[in-house]
Amino acid sequence: LLKVLSHIDSILQSPRAPPLIYRRNKGPVQSSIKENGQECGFEHLPLTIEMWADQLMALKDLHRSLRKLSLELMPWHTADPQDNRESIRVEDLQFTVDAILEEIENKEKNTQTPSLPTLFAIVSHFQKLFDVSSLNGVYPRMNEVYTKLGEMTNAMRNLHELLQLDNSVPPTVVVDTVGKLCDVINENVTEQVQQLLGTQDIHSIINKLEEHEYFFPPFQALIQDLLCLLEISNLDDILPTVRNLK
């Protein structure tokens, strides 16, 4: 018995053994049993072996839980006939964990490729946005949208350059700038018309236009009659021809 206990104690004290929770409170291992039957130097062995037994039982429970998780993630994997064996090794647990991690990585890679329902939803959303009634009209409308987008992009780029605006300026600012330029141009045109007609009053402008509409048609008819009567075609020749008739 003492030889067996010494062998167990040497295993517990080896570098390969896990850290012990129950440490000996004594010095070196005693090689003989006390005559009075008291402590023999191996008092820690039952506690350590009991702890290891509990860990082995927990190892089985952990293996069972990992198998359930594996079947949830990979239902196509049938249960291993050796799953019900009495001894479970750490290598078995590591193999199961590696298989689960590999399956998760594969799923993450596959999620980058959209599924058929996702593609159908995208096409349906495009049809709603751009009023496409059939699948046959999706590609033509896509081409139309792409062409229009290119035209608008080029137009906005040219407006940015003409207005000397930064490319980061949003379209709303471009529209506001164009509107301000139009207001300035309209003001200049109104001012030029007022100067041309010799008035600053809008009512005077209306009156002059009405006078022109009243006077010009009879004057034009008179000029046409003179051109026919004098047998000339140029308006500048009317005055010299009349002088020659005198």
Side-chain angles (χ1 to χ4, degrees):
L1 177 61
L2 181 61
K3 185 178 180 180
V4 174
L5 293 176
S6 299
H7 182 64
I8 295 175
D9 190 69
S10 64
I11 293 175
L12 296 177
Q13 300 297 331
S14 67
R16 296 182 57 189
L20 297 179
I21 299 177
Y22 304 99
R23 292 288 184 179
R24 292 180 56 188
N25 295 325
K26 296 182 177 294
V29 178
Q30 299 180 8
S31 59
S32 61
I33 303 177
K34 292 183 178 181
E35 295 179 357
N36 57 5
Q38 295 178 356
E39 296 177 355
C40 62
F42 302 102
E43 302 86 1
H44 65 292
L45 294 182
L47 295 176
T48 303
I49 294 174
E50 183 179 356
M51 178 192 69
W52 283 11
D54 292 338
Q55 294 297 315
L56 289 176
M57 291 300 297
L59 202 64
K60 291 183 179 180
D61 295 336
L62 178 59
H63 183 260
R64 191 180 302 109
S65 299
L66 288 176
R67 284 300 304 167
K68 288 182 180 179
L69 178 60
S70 175
L71 292 176
E72 286 291 335
L73 295 176
M74 301 174 290
W76 55 89
H77 286 189
T78 58
D80 190 349
Q82 298 181 354
D83 287 344
N84 296 324
R85 62 189 175 186
E86 291 296 329
S87 60
I88 300 298
R89 300 176 301 174
V90 176
E91 291 82 355
D92 300 329
L93 302 180
Q94 187 63 47
F95 176 79
T96 304
V97 171
D98 291 340
I100 293 174
L101 291 176
E102 183 179 359
E103 179 65 21
I104 292 175
E105 291 177 357
N106 292 334
K107 283 187 176 181
E108 290 178 352
K109 293 179 181 179
N110 292 334
T111 54
Q112 297 178 358
T113 303
S115 62
L116 185 60
T118 301
L119 295 176
F120 180 77
I122 293 174
V123 174
S124 299
H125 187 62
F126 179 88
Q127 289 182 263
K128 292 180 180 178
L129 288 178
F130 298 99
D131 193 23
V132 182
S133 58
S134 64
L135 291 177
N136 293 332
V138 170
Y139 279 110
R141 185 56 59 87
M142 282 185 176
N143 295 332
E144 181 182 353
V145 171
Y146 178 79
T147 302
K148 294 295 183 182
L149 179 61
E151 293 176 355
M152 293 184 63
T153 301
N154 292 333
M156 292 301 297
R157 185 185 301 112
N158 293 334
L159 286 174
H160 278 92
E161 294 178 358
L162 291 174
L163 300 174
Q164 296 181 354
L165 297 175
D166 189 79
N167 291 332
S168 61
V169 173
T172 54
V173 177
V174 176
V175 173
D176 292 340
T177 305
V178 173
K180 292 178 181 179
L181 287 177
C182 291
D183 292 339
V184 171
I185 293 174
N186 291 334
E187 291 176 359
N188 292 336
V189 170
T190 302
E191 184 179 355
Q192 291 176 3
V193 171
Q194 291 175 351
Q195 293 176 357
L196 178 64
L197 298 177
T199 179
Q200 301 295 324
D201 187 4
I202 187 65
H203 295 289
S204 299
I205 296 176
I206 295 175
N207 292 333
K208 287 184 176 293
L209 291 175
E210 291 178 350
E211 292 175 358
H212 177 271
E213 184 179 0
Y214 174 78
F215 170 77
F216 185 75
F219 178 77
Q220 184 181 18
L222 176 62
I223 295 300
Q224 291 294 334
D225 292 341
L226 286 174
L227 291 175
C228 294
L229 181 62
L230 298 175
E231 297 181 352
I232 57 178
S233 59
N234 194 352
L235 187 64
D236 295 333
D237 295 335
I238 293 177
L239 187 58
T241 304
V242 171
R243 286 177 179 174
N244 291 333
L245 291 176
K246 292 177 61 177

